[in-house]
Amino acid sequence: MRIIRTKNYEEMSHAAANLISAQVLLKPNSVLGLATGSSPVGAYKQLIEWYEQGVLDFSQVRTVNLDEYVGLNKEHDQSYAYFMRDNLFDHVNIDPAKTNIPDGMNADGAAECARYDQVIADLGGVDLQLLGLGVNGHIGFNEPDDHFSCGTQQIELTESTRDANKRFFSSIDEVPTHARTMGVRDILQAKRVVMVASGKNKAEAVKAAFFGPITPHMPASILQYHPDFTLVADEDALSLL
Ligand code: GLP
């Protein structure tokens, strides 16, 4: 595990964008595993800037997103499909046909999860997986549990996650109760994993996940085992170390 320590969110975003950019330069048809949430937004902005400057070309890049809420369609402004278009896809030359996000509207959850695992397998796996970190240590929407998950699964969101994400909705009642997420095994199988963490509210989770025992009650802790894992975190997120 490597830690890149940065002063603040801007530096964290710049460093993470550099890692993603290097991946795309070295392998133009990379499979990027992408994340949502406020943590990766700055990195996406930087990638857009480099694309506009002609430094980066996304025309061959393929993407698989980590997760999606159940019950939100692609046009809903809180769906992760919308988030990705808004924060990255609509601003670079990525081919929409090469982007993948679990379908939150497929009424058959099990079939949708199986389909998504097949999508990942057909792409030959993920070259670089970008992750945020939930305040409870979740990755994607893999919530604390008694075991680590395998493939894509439908999960019930914990109250703490719904509470953390309610800031994006008009009330907590509107926050979906379920989501579909790549499994922990899927994430671990990525060739390279990069996590961005910023702010004091992530400090407890950073400390527990990367300086504590490996346990499914702190899902991110399994990344300690990953052979190519980089945590890009700012001083606030690292403040309890
Ligand atoms: C959500 C997402 C995660 C994300 C986490 C942290 O629950 N499913 O993938 O990492 O929130 O979000 P933020 O970066 O906004 O703190």
Side-chain angles (χ1 to χ4, degrees):
M1 171 170 121
R2 280 179 224 100
I3 299 182
I4 298 178
R5 184 190 179 91
T6 68
K7 264 208 197 70
N8 51 35
Y9 180 86
E10 285 66 37
E11 277 189 14
M12 175 200 77
S13 302
H14 194 265
N18 258 313
L19 298 176
I20 299 165
S21 170
Q23 176 68 45
V24 174
L25 289 170
L26 288 169
K27 185 181 176 193
N29 67 344
S30 287
V31 177
L32 299 180
L34 297 178
T36 53
S38 38
S39 306
V41 168
Y44 293 152
K45 276 208 178 86
Q46 182 61 74
L47 293 175
I48 293 167
E49 219 177 293
W50 285 332
Y51 163 71
E52 286 169 347
Q53 292 166 2
V55 179
L56 272 179
D57 173 18
F58 289 87
S59 60
Q60 297 179 60
V61 166
R62 286 109 16 107
T63 67
V64 276
N65 259 79
L66 282 168
D67 45 15
E68 180 61 283
Y69 288 116
V70 173
L72 300 192
N73 68 45
K74 294 182 173 108
E75 303 313 320
H76 190 290
D77 65 2
Q78 290 311 323
S79 74
Y80 287 163
Y82 185 99
F83 175 102
M84 288 311 301
R85 293 198 304 275
D86 199 31
N87 286 287
L88 183 66
F89 298 159
D90 282 356
H91 309 284
V92 297
N93 64 336
I94 197 160
D95 176 356
K98 293 185 177 136
T99 66
N100 298 280
I101 301 186
D103 181 355
M105 294 302 285
N106 186 341
D108 186 340
E112 176 55 22
C113 292
R115 180 195 72 82
Y116 204 65
D117 272 337
Q118 195 55 50
V119 166
I120 300 168
D122 290 347
L123 286 169
V126 174
D127 290 304
L128 183 152
Q129 178 66 56
L130 180 64
L131 294 176
L133 177 65
V135 283
N136 62 0
H138 74 214
I139 44 178
F141 266 135
N142 293 284
E143 298 281 36
D145 203 343
D146 291 334
H147 60 275
F148 288 110
S149 61
C150 295
T152 305
Q153 53 162 357
Q154 178 159 321
I155 51 90
E156 185 172 358
L157 296 168
T158 61
E159 277 318 294
S160 85
T161 296
R162 293 184 70 234
D163 194 57
N165 289 1
K166 75 173 182 219
R167 65 191 194 278
F168 300 114
F169 294 82
S170 39
S171 77
I172 189 146
D173 298 334
E174 302 207 350
V175 184
T177 55
H178 292 77
R180 291 172 185 152
T181 179
M182 256 189 219
V184 171
R185 183 200 60 200
D186 294 328
I187 293 170
L188 275 185
Q189 283 177 342
K191 294 188 186 84
R192 172 173 296 157
V193 179
V194 174
M195 175 181 280
V196 278
S198 165
K200 284 226 152 68
N201 67 329
K202 297 293 169 72
E204 285 283 358
V206 165
K207 184 179 173 202
F210 306 118
F211 295 86
I214 294 170
T215 159
H217 294 286
M218 183 50 61
S221 64
I222 194 82
L223 294 165
Q224 292 182 40
Y225 277 154
H226 194 281
D228 190 344
F229 170 57
T230 305
L231 170 66
V232 189
D234 67 11
E235 282 174 3
D236 281 346
L238 297 170
S239 58
L240 291 180
L241 303 178

